[in-house]
Amino acid sequence: MNSKTVKLTQMMQIANHGHILYIYDAIDSYIENAVSYIMTGIEHGHHLLIIENKERYEQIYLKLQEALSHDQLDYIHYIDNYEFYRLYGDCHCESIVNHFTQIIKPFLSQQISFRTWAHVEWKEQDHITSKLEHFENIADQSVSSSGLVSICAYDGNKISALLQNTMLKSHEYLMTDNELVKSNLYQKRTVVFPSLSVQSDHKKVEKQLKAIKHQLESFIMQNSDPILILDKDDKLITINRAFERTFGWSADEVVGLNATDLPIIPDDKRFEVNRNRSFAILGENIEGCESVRKTRDGTILNMMLSCFPLRDEEDKVSGRAVIIRDISERKKAQELLIRTEKLSVAGELAAGIAHEIRNPITAIKGFLQLLQSGSIEKKAYYGIIAAEIDRIEQILSELLMLAKPQAINVESKNILSLIKDVVTLLDAQANMNNVQIIIKFDHSETCVRCEENQIKQVCINFIKNAMEAMPKGGKLVIQIKNVNEEKLLIRFIDQGCGIPKHLLSKLGQPFYTTKKKGTGLGFMVSKQIIENHNGTVVISSKENKGTTIEVSLPL
Ligand code: ADP
Ligand code: MG
């Protein structure tokens, strides 16, 4: 045997299987190697499937006939490679694989060992590299799963370097006319290093990523709102300077703490932390949730919190970011507005009330004169005078209540008596305007947790608006409805001028008024108060028919 040929017996050291890429150059060596391969196989009791062109096979077979007996020659099975690879015109991977599967079926079913020699040839066609790559990948899988030894021979003068390298990934061994080596590229795809051009691309991307990271870091650090970054276990990993400034704790003191243990969270708000975390885990954002947080010196600040999940490169939630905005100043301004508006309502009411009070005072004065003159029976009139004085007292105390700044005091209040108190104040104006106020209710005992004065302020605003919408008089129905155990509705239903559809959205904007002496603040402030009570305000209106303002409050 030619010394240049590969000692193919070596191949038997190839574990149990071997997918070998043979890039041949000289035909002589090719034939020598094929013969050696076949003979070694037969020595090991293997059958041989030779996928080869006719001419080359004849050359090989001639040599084999010299060396092998008839019985041994029966181990060789010839398959025309022209038919095999060009069976359906273009190289069609699935067809080839199916064909091959059919061929080897009888061997596998009878548990006959075999090895293959395939001379891969193809006619010029598009995408041949990727077609062959696909085919050889499948072939490699079947070779390694069936423990087959298989040679795929490619003409080194025809195969492109690109195709050769591609093939080296699906073949465990590379053979040339006189060498056999392990393929460095085989199945090492995961640790294959990118080529130089890709590496420089990587560097570019790396630089870009660094720049973005830098931008994000400074965006977080320089942000004027406190920002916290928490990992997937809800441990604090980053805070920014605004956090330190606002709350007074430094990064050293808080980084590493669990979110629920952060000193900025008042005890009664710890449940919020777990709730926000659950939202983040589900991939949900929380936007603009109002709450309070504590500074190092114990000051409670009104805060608006936004919280959103952070994701890793596999799009899994890997933590969350929390942005906190100090809205204490805004809250103060809102409270101031509510107070100012209240005072202006009180001022307006005072004019009407002066009127209301003058009537009983005139009556009392008259009775006093009559009593002084002794012209009437005293006893009968004392009762009337006392009742008139009571009424004056009641009205004045309501007015004072409204005008006086009060500490915010949330208590459970009977809603029916609250509304009756308000109506007392407004009766005078209602009478003057010919408006009849009718109160309807489901239960007289329903109580609502609220800031009494603020809810009164809301009712006054809505009743006043209703009366002002009915300058010629009409009915105002105040309906108190228990929707269920959790919700109460208060409807103010008037028969006034109504609000044109296109102006409905303006209601609630500050200073929007259609009245000469209006402030355009009543509706907005009332809506704010109700929302602060976790309720809602809904308007429905028909021009020239009337308006219904529906306030819902949690019970
Ligand atoms: P103001 O009463 O000082 O005008 P509001 O904020 O209370 O301010 O109301 C704003 C505007 O909304 C009113 O000027 C009026 O045009 C309209 N409006 C509010 N309530 C009613 C109502 N019940 N019927 C008709 N228009 C209303
Ligand atoms: Mg008003």
Side-chain angles (χ1 to χ4, degrees), residues 258-506:
N258 206 289
T260 41
D261 299 330
L262 288 175
I264 63 166
I265 299 161
D267 286 340
D268 61 337
K269 297 290 172 199
R270 295 205 189 275
F271 73 95
E272 270 182 14
V273 176
N274 291 326
R275 181 199 61 194
N276 294 355
R277 186 185 177 205
S278 315
F279 266 79
I281 289 172
L282 293 173
E284 307 247 0
N285 294 346
I286 294 178
E287 276 164 39
C289 155
E290 280 190 30
S291 186
V292 292
R293 291 291 178 264
K294 206 168 57 183
T295 67
R296 187 164 205 149
D297 62 18
T299 312
I300 296 288
L301 297 176
N302 285 294
M303 294 294 190
M304 175 100 90
L305 274 87
S306 297
C307 172
F308 52 90
L310 300 171
R311 295 175 184 280
D312 62 15
E313 58 280 10
E314 281 165 14
D315 212 30
K316 284 198 195 110
V317 175
S318 61
R320 61 189 177 104
V322 184
I323 303 177
I324 305 178
R325 176 158 289 181
D326 184 354
I327 52 164
S328 298
E329 289 304 316
R330 202 168 89 194
K331 266 273 184 240
K332 269 186 213 153
Q334 199 189 63
E335 273 159 22
L336 186 70
L337 184 64
I338 292 177
R339 267 210 307 276
T340 315
E341 200 273 344
K342 193 165 82 167
L343 281 178
S344 99
V345 170
E348 278 174 52
L349 287 180
I353 285 163
H355 226 80
E356 176 77 355
I357 292 173
R358 191 184 288 162
N359 290 339
I361 288 178
T362 313
I364 293 166
K365 222 170 153 184
F367 286 127
L368 275 178
Q369 277 167 0
L370 285 175
L371 288 172
Q372 272 170 347
S373 67
S375 57
I376 53 164
E377 187 56 50
K378 292 176 196 171
K379 265 199 182 154
Y381 292 96
Y382 283 151
I384 301 175
I385 293 171
E388 293 290 357
I389 290 173
D390 271 356
R391 175 140 179 81
I392 293 168
E393 231 182 354
Q394 202 186 350
I395 293 169
L396 285 181
S397 65
E398 274 304 314
L399 184 64
L400 274 179
M401 182 99 104
L402 192 66
K404 222 167 61 183
Q406 310 259 332
I408 303 269
N409 192 8
V410 177
E411 278 176 331
S412 183
K413 284 284 158 191
N414 182 300
I415 197 74
L416 181 60
S417 38
L418 185 151
I419 287 178
K420 278 186 174 163
D421 284 348
V422 170
V423 171
T424 311
L425 264 181
L426 293 159
D427 253 353
Q429 201 177 336
N431 284 336
M432 274 194 305
N433 292 324
N434 230 347
V435 171
Q436 193 191 351
I437 301 180
I438 302 158
I439 303 176
K440 292 184 176 171
F441 54 90
D442 291 345
H443 305 294
S444 59
E445 301 306 321
T446 305
C447 289
V448 175
R449 272 189 68 75
C450 63
E451 212 301 309
E452 182 184 11
N453 269 298
Q454 289 193 346
I455 299 296
K456 278 185 177 170
Q457 187 179 350
V458 170
C459 294
I460 291 170
N461 277 329
F462 290 151
I463 295 172
K464 267 177 85 260
N465 279 348
M467 289 195 304
E468 284 158 5
M470 300 187 284
K472 292 183 191 137
K475 260 188 211 160
L476 164 61
V477 177
I478 304 175
Q479 202 179 46
I480 309 168
K481 263 191 105 55
N482 294 59
V483 181
N484 52 38
E485 283 177 5
E486 285 158 17
K487 191 165 151 185
L488 180 82
L489 287 184
I490 310 168
R491 292 200 184 104
F492 300 88
I493 309 163
D494 69 47
Q495 303 173 320
C497 59
I499 306 162
K501 240 188 187 153
H502 68 281
L503 294 177
L504 270 179
S505 62
K506 295 221 182 237

Side-chain angles (χ1 to χ4, degrees), residues 30 33-39 41-42 46-54 56-61 64 73 75-82 84-85 100 103-104 107 114-120 149 151 153:
Y30 177 93
N33 276 320
V35 169
S36 165
Y37 178 72
I38 294 165
M39 289 185 26
I42 290 173
H46 292 171
H47 281 244
L48 282 125
L49 302 181
I50 313 294
I51 305 167
E52 183 57 276
N53 67 46
K54 274 202 181 97
R56 191 79 52 91
Y57 181 65
E58 274 165 19
Q59 292 173 280
I60 297 168
Y61 198 72
L64 289 170
L73 286 173
Y75 275 69
I76 301 165
H77 310 270
Y78 172 65
I79 299 151
D80 184 340
N81 81 338
Y82 185 87
F84 188 81
Y85 290 110
F100 186 66
I103 293 172
I104 60 172
F107 294 92
F114 64 96
R115 49 170 64 187
T116 64
W117 175 283
H119 184 185
V120 186
V149 180
I151 286 195

Side-chain angles (χ1 to χ4, degrees), residues 116-156:
T116 64
W117 175 283
H119 184 185
V120 186
E121 291 184 294
W122 62 90
K123 76 174 185 210
E124 283 311 315
Q125 58 193 277
D126 290 339
H127 312 301
I128 187 65
T129 307
S130 60
K131 284 176 184 171
L132 287 172
E133 179 183 12
H134 184 39
F135 168 68
E136 292 285 9
N137 277 329
I138 297 179
D140 185 52
Q141 277 164 25
S142 78
V143 165
S144 54
S145 63
S146 60
L148 209 71
V149 180
S150 171
I151 286 195
C152 302
Y154 284 76
D155 185 345

Side-chain angles (χ1 to χ4, degrees), residues 9 52 65 172 186 365 457 546:
T9 41
E52 183 57 276
Q65 273 179 327
E172 198 173 353
Y186 179 69
K365 222 170 153 184
Q457 187 179 350

Side-chain angles (χ1 to χ4, degrees), residues 503-520:
L503 294 177
L504 270 179
S505 62
K506 295 221 182 237
L507 225 77
Q509 289 178 7
F511 310 117
Y512 168 73
T513 177
T514 52
K515 298 166 197 167
K516 259 194 194 150
K517 289 189 175 169
T519 61

